[in-house]
Amino acid sequence: MYKILKDAEKREVVFLVLGGLSLVASLLAGGRFAVDPAWVAVAVCGIPILKEAAEGLITRFDIKADVLVSLALIASVFIGEVFAAGEVAFIMQIGALLEERTVAKARAGIERLVRLSPRTARRVTDAGEEVIDASQVQVGDVLRVLPGQTIPVDGTVQEGTTSVNQAVMTGESLPVDKGPGDPVFSGTVNQFGAFTMRADRVGEDSSLQRMIRLVQSADAGKAKIVGIADRWATWIVVAALTAALVTGLVTGQIIRAVTILVVFCPCALVLATPTAVTAAMGNATRHGFLVREGDALERLSQVKKIAFDKTGTLTLGQPRVEKVLPLNGWQKEDLFALAAGAEKMSEHPLGKAVVRDFESRYGRSAPACEDFTMVPGRGVRAKVDGRDVAAGSPALLASLGVKAPETEDGTCICVAVDGLAAGVLTLADTVRPTAAGTVAALKKLSADPVLLTGDRAGAAHTIAGPLGIESVYADCLPEDKLRRIDEMQANGQPVCMVGDGINDAPALKRAFVGIAMGKGGSDIAVDAADIALVSDDIRQLPHLLALSRRMMTVIRINLSFSMALNFVAVALAMTGLLNPVAGALVHNAGSVLVIVHSALLLRFRRRADV
């Protein structure tokens, strides 16, 4: 399909070149040819317009700008003004091509989501285990999930402990420990221990299937912005026909009536929006944005709230050790060293963060460990420098008969040495260095920042507070983010959603504008969004918002100029001071001025104080 679209676009470009050359030849020839070369422009540029107008009127009774253009084409040809007909058709096709080039390519996000769906499940029966198709799982079935496998349906852990990567559903940067009684969701990945689960929601009721339906339907309520010329087309057609009819009847000169139809053609009006959008898209590209939806910038200019996902958007998605809190006489460095040594062979993201941060902070390798044991869903045990070290959750220490120390709200690793509590390491996600400045700049542009995250409330407020984000919604599943966006937009506050994860895809589609992190974000999030931030440099978001508003200012100026030019030209045509050819040339000059004015957007830069 994409190849067909590309071939059609190439054909339109060829037709435009032929039409432009034929008009130049007609203008320079001065009637020396037996057949006016402008007929080529009428054929290759005008026939598609006539076809589109006829289909719209006959099948939908849809009056758009191409109806008036068709009337002008037919009238001009009827009185022998072929050049005027060809010139009008040529200008209109340029506008149409520019508009088409701003339309996004076909997206494959839903197909990618479908491919995430687990294909098989391991069902436990009295006779043993059997591998079945995931679609055959029934409510109440007992399933076994091995390390590295995708959980096939929603359910509850029966036996075993593990850690599950739930990024698909919640966007959480860290695996979540699971034990008996804890819920698990389809599409999430079991990372470490094997466990058995009871199937609670299967088939179309599972979390992943619900998300697929959300992505399919999320943009149903997001109306596309109609082109300005098409929005006013009915009134333009009525006004043009009335003016032409009255002038023809009063003066008795059909050439004046035809001239009115020619000058009333919304050439500059049609070019006003697509030329500005194309120039703004070029500017956005230079600042690291790929604008995938043609009217996304127009919509962005209207947003009142910027909703951010947390992990991978405002943060880097990389945990780091924030505090080391020693107990019972231990020193920070010694406690940190023992914890890093115990975690040295761990594959858990938290364990890797402890080792990485210790070595970075103290400039030496973590101590070697022996007798390493991983306790799935709880932590690790090992011998480090001859001491028995346990590092993990409070449940791990409790299983060893050690009273876990009091911990702050957040992600913590409790450490016990030789059977006694030794301290706590608290970890947090790494905030992007540019996040605070970005939020402050957006506020100056009167865009209210909002945080929508699947993380817990404590982690969410820890990030939002220093960044100056007051509206925080934590523990959000995909449908929760969708509901919050709907609530804000129902209150007349269009939302721009900025996210990176699979779980953000429905929200990116439903929001008035969706912006995905292109470098670190998932393919599904990028496919669901209107705009992709290729470099993940969120510092450019204020520039994009300011650019979209400047683009709308340029469009309004273009529209005002083109309408004023039309009225002046109509007045001149009524008095006989313009003939069809002169009227077409006036339109051509107006269109050139609109294009030049739009091109100034390529050089637009946001003022630092705005």
Side-chain angles (χ1 to χ4, degrees):
M1 177 60 72
Y2 179 58
K3 184 179 184 300
I4 294 174
L5 292 174
K6 290 292 287 185
D7 289 344
E9 185 177 293
K10 289 178 181 177
R11 186 165 56 251
E12 289 175 3
V13 171
V14 171
F15 285 171
L16 272 175
V17 172
L18 289 175
L21 292 175
S22 70
L23 289 174
V24 172
S26 176
L27 194 63
L28 297 178
R32 288 194 293 270
F33 293 110
V35 178
D36 193 332
W39 276 109
V40 176
V42 173
V44 299
C45 297
I47 290 177
I49 296 173
L50 294 171
K51 180 174 177 289
E52 184 71 23
E55 288 178 353
L57 277 175
I58 295 171
T59 62
R60 303 182 299 273
F61 197 68
D62 191 8
I63 299 177
K64 291 185 177 180
D66 51 16
V67 174
L68 181 55
V69 177
S70 298
L71 291 174
L73 285 175
I74 294 171
S76 297
V77 171
F78 180 75
I79 65 170
E81 297 290 352
V82 180
F83 177 85
E87 193 272 343
V88 168
F90 177 72
I91 293 295
M92 292 299 293
Q93 284 297 84
I94 288 177
L97 181 62
L98 287 173
E99 202 157 14
E100 287 174 10
R101 288 181 66 86
T102 63
V103 176
K105 301 171 186 175
R107 294 174 291 181
I110 293 174
E111 288 79 2
R112 288 194 176 103
L113 266 177
V114 170
R115 287 200 294 270
L116 285 178
S117 302
R119 301 298 176 89
T120 61
R122 188 179 294 269
R123 183 163 60 188
V124 179
T125 65
D126 293 337
E129 296 182 8
E130 59 178 345
V131 177
I132 62 173
D133 192 279
S135 62
Q136 298 176 358
V137 177
Q138 303 293 318
V139 174
D141 282 353
V142 177
L143 309 175
R144 183 179 302 279
V145 184
L146 302 178
Q149 290 186 339
T150 300
I151 297 172
V153 297
D154 292 6
T156 305
V157 177
Q158 300 288 88
E159 296 181 359
T161 56
T162 187
S163 292
V164 176
N165 183 340
Q166 297 189 155
V168 168
M169 297 306 301
T170 67
E172 293 172 278
S173 57
L174 304 175
V176 178
D177 294 338
K178 300 287 185 179
D182 290 332
V184 289
F185 306 103
S186 63
T188 59
V189 180
N190 178 32
Q191 291 211 308
F192 301 113
F195 65 92
T196 58
M197 60 174 285
R198 182 187 68 245
D200 295 334
R201 290 200 297 264
V202 303
E204 294 299 313
D205 293 329
S206 69
S207 299
L208 186 59
Q209 292 301 318
R210 290 203 311 275
M211 188 188 296
I212 291 173
R213 291 198 298 276
L214 284 176
V215 173
Q216 288 172 328
S217 63
D219 61 348
K222 186 167 70 175
K224 300 297 183 183
I225 292 177
V226 179
I228 296 292
D230 288 335
R231 202 181 307 164
W232 295 350
T234 301
W235 298 106
I236 294 174
V237 170
V238 172
L241 289 177
T242 302
L245 182 61
V246 171
T247 300
L249 291 175
V250 171
T251 65
Q253 297 183 29
I254 190 173
I255 193 168
R256 293 193 187 187
V258 172
T259 303
I260 289 173
L261 292 178
V262 171
V263 298
F264 234 128
C265 278
C267 295
L269 191 66
V270 168
L271 290 172
T273 297
T275 55
V277 170
T278 301
M281 287 173 64
N283 184 307
T285 299
R286 290 210 296 262
H287 285 81
F289 293 96
L290 173 63
V291 181
R292 308 182 71 250
E293 289 282 1
D295 62 347
L297 291 177
E298 191 171 350
R299 284 185 268 119
L300 182 62
S301 68
Q302 303 174 41
V303 301
K304 304 295 184 185
K305 290 185 177 290
I306 309 288
F308 290 96
D309 171 50
K310 181 181 76 70
T311 305
T313 304
L314 291 176
T315 69
L316 297 174
Q318 298 175 354
R320 60 177 177 81
V321 177
E322 194 172 55
K323 297 179 183 176
V324 179
L325 305 173
L327 297 171
N328 298 325
W330 283 94
Q331 299 298 310
K332 284 186 178 182
E333 183 175 351
D334 295 335
L335 174 65
F336 204 168
L338 290 175
E343 297 279 12
K344 194 165 187 177
M345 298 177 66
S346 173
E347 292 298 316
H348 196 286
L350 292 183
K352 290 182 176 180
V354 170
V355 175
R356 181 183 64 245
D357 286 4
F358 172 81
E359 294 179 346
S360 174
R361 186 176 302 183
Y362 295 105
R364 60 188 177 94
S365 298
C369 70
E370 300 174 345
D371 300 331
F372 173 83
T373 302
M374 184 166 188
V375 184
R378 294 190 175 183
V380 299
R381 297 186 64 187
K383 278 190 173 296
V384 182
D385 292 339
R387 294 179 177 272
D388 290 321
V389 181
S393 67
L396 175 64
L397 269 63
S399 69
L400 300 175
V402 178
K403 178 176 171 50
E406 296 289 332
T407 59
E408 300 177 352
D409 186 21
T411 302
C412 301
I413 294 178
C414 301
V415 183
V417 179
D418 295 333
L420 295 174
V424 178
L425 278 63
T426 65
L427 294 94
D429 203 349
T430 307
V431 178
R432 289 185 183 273
T434 58
T438 298
V439 170
L442 290 171
K443 284 184 173 180
K444 286 185 178 181
L445 291 166
S446 301
D448 184 27
V450 178
L451 182 60
L452 296 177
T453 178
D455 269 0
R456 293 167 295 176
H461 284 283
T462 298
I463 296 296
L467 296 181
I469 300 177
E470 298 176 2
S471 301
V472 179
Y473 301 99
D475 298 308
C476 289
L477 292 174
E479 49 263 47
D480 297 321
K481 293 183 178 183
L482 217 56
R483 178 169 52 84
R484 295 294 185 186
I485 288 174
D486 284 341
E487 289 172 355
M488 288 184 277
Q489 296 189 156
N491 291 327
Q493 297 178 311
V495 177
C496 171
M497 177 69 193
V498 186
D500 73 309
I502 296 171
N503 65 304
D504 296 319
L508 288 166
K509 263 205 165 186
R510 176 63 60 83
F512 205 55
V513 181
I515 300 178
M517 309 295 281
K519 187 176 181 181
S522 73
D523 290 342
I524 294 169
V526 173
D527 285 332
D530 304 300
I531 300 170
L533 180 49
V534 179
S535 64
D536 285 2
D537 185 0
I538 61 173
R539 287 180 301 175
Q540 299 298 334
L541 288 173
H543 171 83
L544 187 70
L545 180 58
L547 173 66
S548 70
R549 293 176 179 176
R550 177 59 185 167
M551 182 194 79
M552 291 308 299
T553 300
V554 169
I555 289 174
R556 292 186 187 100
I557 294 173
N558 286 348
L559 293 174
S560 300
F561 167 76
S562 60
M563 291 300 291
L565 181 66
N566 267 16
F567 286 126
V568 171
V570 167
L572 294 174
M574 286 180 172
T575 60
L577 296 177
L578 277 184
N579 59 33
V581 173
L585 292 175
V586 168
H587 262 72
N588 197 9
S591 300
V592 170
L593 289 174
V594 164
I595 293 171
V596 170
H597 183 235
S598 295
L600 296 177
L601 283 168
L602 288 168
R603 303 175 62 182
F604 171 78
R605 288 189 179 184
R606 178 181 67 92
R607 295 204 316 269
D609 59 336
V610 175

